[in-house]
Amino acid sequence: MARPKKEQSLRRSHPVMLRFTDTEYERLSFHAEAARLPLAEYIRRQVTGKTVKVKYEVVADLPELKKLIAEFGKIGSNLNQIARHFNSGGIHSQEMRKKIDQGISDIYEMKYEVLKIAGDFRSLSPGDTAVQKGDSLHGNPETYRQ
C-alpha cells in the first residue's frame, strides 16, 4: 500500500540550496543532534523563527554523589523501620520525635550537599523573578533542629 499524498498546501516544493563551511556545518549538525531533529528540520525551524527545544542529559559520576545516594538509602530504610514501629502500635515518645526531627534535618543537609556538588537545576516558575532574602527553594534544616 502506497503512502498517502500530502495536501498541496502542506507540500514543500521550493528547494533552497545553501553552502556551509566545515565549521558551520559541524556546528549546525551538533545543534540539530542536540535538539534530536534532522538537520533540514532544525535549519527550517531556525529560519522560520520557530522554537527549538534542546534537551541536555547531565550525567555525574562523582564518588561524593555515590556516597550521598547510599546515605539516602540508609535513611529510607530507617524511615521504613520508624513507620513500621508506629503502624504496629508503637508508643510515640519525645525521644522518638527528636530522632525523627534530627533525621529530617540530616536529609535537608544532604540535599544541600547534593545541590553544591551537582548544581541546582531547578528553574523558577514563570511568575518568580527572584528569591527573596531568607527564602529557600529547598526547605530549611533549622526548622527541624531541637
Side-chain angles (χ1 to χ4, degrees), residues 27-42:
R27 186 170 179 232
L28 284 168
S29 296
F30 173 79
H31 289 298
E33 188 176 318
R36 295 190 171 114
L37 291 172
L39 184 59
E41 182 61 26
Y42 176 78

Side-chain angles (χ1 to χ4, degrees), residues 34-118:
R36 295 190 171 114
L37 291 172
L39 184 59
E41 182 61 26
Y42 176 78
I43 293 170
R44 188 178 297 113
R45 288 186 186 187
Q46 288 292 331
V47 170
T48 58
K50 293 182 181 173
T51 58
V52 176
K53 294 182 182 180
V54 179
K55 297 179 183 179
Y56 294 99
E57 185 175 324
V58 178
V59 178
D61 187 22
L62 302 171
E64 297 91 355
L65 201 54
K66 288 181 180 179
K67 181 181 173 190
L68 286 170
I69 290 170
E71 288 296 320
F72 284 137
K74 292 175 186 175
I75 291 169
S77 176
N78 290 342
L79 289 174
N80 284 337
Q81 290 174 10
I82 292 168
R84 190 177 312 125
H85 171 77
F86 287 141
N87 289 335
S88 64
I91 299 171
H92 298 266
S93 66
Q94 279 296 97
E95 183 182 341
M96 183 64 75
R97 183 67 198 171
K98 285 181 182 178
K99 287 184 179 184
I100 291 170
D101 288 344
Q102 179 63 43
I104 292 171
S105 178
D106 291 345
I107 290 170
Y108 276 114
E109 286 178 14
M110 281 192 272
K111 183 177 182 178
Y112 286 116
E113 284 185 52
V114 168
L115 291 175
K116 278 189 242 174
I117 292 169

